């Protein structure tokens, strides 16, 4: 079992190094289902593992100039406040509720990552040297930080979309910057949890060492993967893990109920219809002509 935990922990690091997130999505299930920890202990331990691993993965990204330092530090600072508050609040919420909420947020985020960006959104993407407005950083940082503290997620599955979709950063820079944010708020969330949870440091350090090794491998691979492929792989990865966690927490009767599958069919049909409508609109919308500099007049 120890060998299996170590092998799975390597995947935690590879995920963080390549995708800038996904570490906690793997860590919590590994600690709960493989190491046998209860939910709240696993959440606290995952914050330590992901915090240390993110710092290790940050170094290669920083050397490759894929980190937006000002944005990351400000986002991280606001996230730390939210994470500490979320960590204190988590003490009063049942573990099953936390994991179900965790899985649902994962699926919602995956949907946002898998949506085809509109052409206007692509054109509106910020240049690599531009920072996000302070008000955007503050709001997004507090919200993502609170989620981190509550469900034990380093928040990469929320930070990367926040930076890439809402902030308009290039995907590669969003991944690198997210690692700085994840490390800061993971340790803040851990501080909030330690008041009511004890950690098995033997397991925590074993998982951390393996994850750090994986993160260094993943960070080296990140710069060689196309941006669109990176976005799609991140989205599908979160879908798979979200469905797994949700399946483990919901009662068996939920999955055998006709109402459940009727709802799934309705949601899937609505999503497909909406996607078809958007695609048709994009095809029928002519591109606006580019306005170049006005030619100097030849008339007096």
């Amino acid at each position: 079992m120890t060998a299996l935990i170590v092998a799975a922990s390597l995947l935690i690091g590879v995920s963080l190094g390549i995708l800038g997130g996904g570490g906690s999505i793997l860590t919590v299930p590994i600690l709960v289902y493989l190491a046998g920890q209860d939910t709240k202990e696993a959440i606290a331990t995952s914050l330590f593992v992901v915090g240390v691993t993110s710092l290790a993965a940050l170094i290669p990204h920083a050397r490759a100039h894929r980190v937006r330092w000002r944005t990351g530090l400000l986002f991280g600072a606001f996230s730390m406040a939210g994470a500490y508050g979320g960590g204190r609040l988590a003490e009063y919420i049942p573990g099953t509720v936390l994991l179900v909420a965790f899985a649902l947020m994962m699926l919602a985020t995956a949907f946002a990552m898998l949506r085809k960006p509109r052409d206007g959104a692509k054109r509106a993407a910020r240049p690599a040297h531009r920072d996000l407005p302070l008000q955007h950083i503050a709001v997004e940082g507090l919200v993502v930080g609170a989620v981190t503290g509550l469900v034990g997620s380093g928040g990469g599955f929320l930070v990367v979309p926040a930076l890439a979709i809402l902030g308009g950063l290039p995907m590669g820079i969003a991944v690198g910057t997210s690692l700085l944010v994840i490390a800061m708020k993971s340790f803040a969330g851990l501080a909030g949890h330690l008041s009511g949870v004890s950690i098995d440091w033997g397991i925590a350090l074993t998982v951390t060492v393996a994850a750090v090794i994986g993160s260094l491998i993943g960070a080296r691979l990140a710069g060689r993967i196309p941006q669109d492929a990176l976005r799609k792989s991140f989205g599908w990865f979160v879908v798979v893990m979200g469905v797994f966690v949700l399946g483990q927490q919901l009662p068996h009767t939920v999955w055998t109920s006709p109402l459940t599958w009727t709802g799934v069919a309705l949601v899937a049909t609505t999503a497909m219809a909406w996607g078809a409508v958007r695609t048709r609109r994009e095809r029928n919308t002519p591109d606006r002509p580019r306005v170049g500099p006005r030619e100097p007049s030849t008339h007096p």
Side-chain angles (χ1 to χ4, degrees):
M1 183 63 73
T2 302
L4 184 58
I5 293 174
V6 170
S9 300
L10 284 170
L11 294 178
I12 296 172
V14 172
S15 170
L16 278 167
I18 293 180
L19 303 175
S24 298
I25 296 174
L26 282 170
T27 308
V28 173
I30 287 171
L31 293 173
V32 171
Y33 302 117
L34 295 184
Q37 294 188 345
D38 64 64
T39 300
K40 294 187 177 181
E41 182 183 4
I43 286 174
T45 304
S46 76
L47 289 169
F48 173 79
V49 173
V50 172
V52 175
T53 307
S54 298
L55 286 178
L58 177 65
I59 297 172
H61 283 278
R63 289 177 177 174
H65 306 289
R66 293 194 296 267
V67 178
R68 190 75 55 80
W69 291 101
R70 177 183 176 275
T71 297
L73 289 171
L74 287 174
F75 199 116
F78 284 108
S79 295
M80 288 175 73
Y84 181 80
R88 296 299 299 269
L89 180 61
E91 183 178 351
Y92 306 100
I93 301 177
T96 300
V97 174
L98 291 176
L99 282 179
V100 170
F102 183 35
L104 292 176
M105 285 183 291
M106 289 162 61
L107 294 175
T109 303
F111 175 75
M113 293 298 292
L114 290 172
R115 287 180 61 189
K116 182 180 178 181
R118 298 180 181 179
D119 292 339
K122 291 180 180 178
R123 287 193 296 266
R126 295 176 179 271
H129 62 279
R130 293 284 300 278
D131 284 300
L132 304 185
L134 180 60
Q135 62 270 26
H136 290 181
I137 296 174
V139 173
E140 294 167 16
L142 286 171
V143 172
V144 172
V147 172
T148 294
L150 276 172
V151 301
S153 166
F157 74 99
L158 291 175
V159 177
V160 174
L163 296 174
I165 297 175
L166 302 179
L169 300 188
M171 187 65 179
I173 293 178
V175 167
T177 305
S178 74
L179 292 168
L180 174 62
V181 177
I182 291 168
M184 294 175 67
K185 61 196 183 68
S186 291
F187 289 125
L190 175 63
H193 276 276
L194 286 178
S195 60
V197 178
S198 60
I199 292 179
D200 184 335
W201 290 106
I203 292 178
L205 293 175
T206 299
V207 173
T208 300
V209 170
V212 166
I213 294 173
S215 73
L216 297 177
I217 297 172
R220 287 182 173 272
L221 297 175
R224 305 176 185 179
I225 301 176
Q227 300 293 302
D228 287 342
L230 198 61
R231 179 188 296 269
K232 290 179 181 178
S233 61
F234 186 97
W236 284 114
F237 171 77
V238 176
V239 167
V240 171
M241 294 307 301
V243 170
F244 173 77
V245 174
L246 197 60
Q248 293 292 322
Q249 295 304 312
L250 293 180
H252 178 71
T253 54
V254 172
W255 298 109
T256 57
S257 171
L259 292 177
T260 299
W261 294 107
T262 301
V264 170
L266 287 174
V267 171
T269 302
T270 302
M272 292 174 64
W274 175 245
V277 170
R278 288 184 65 241
T279 301
R280 184 176 301 174
R281 286 178 180 175
E282 291 173 359
R283 289 176 178 175
N284 294 334
T285 302
D287 293 334
R288 294 182 178 180
R290 299 180 65 180
V291 179
R294 179 176 296 178
E295 295 290 339
S297 175
T298 57
H299 299 284

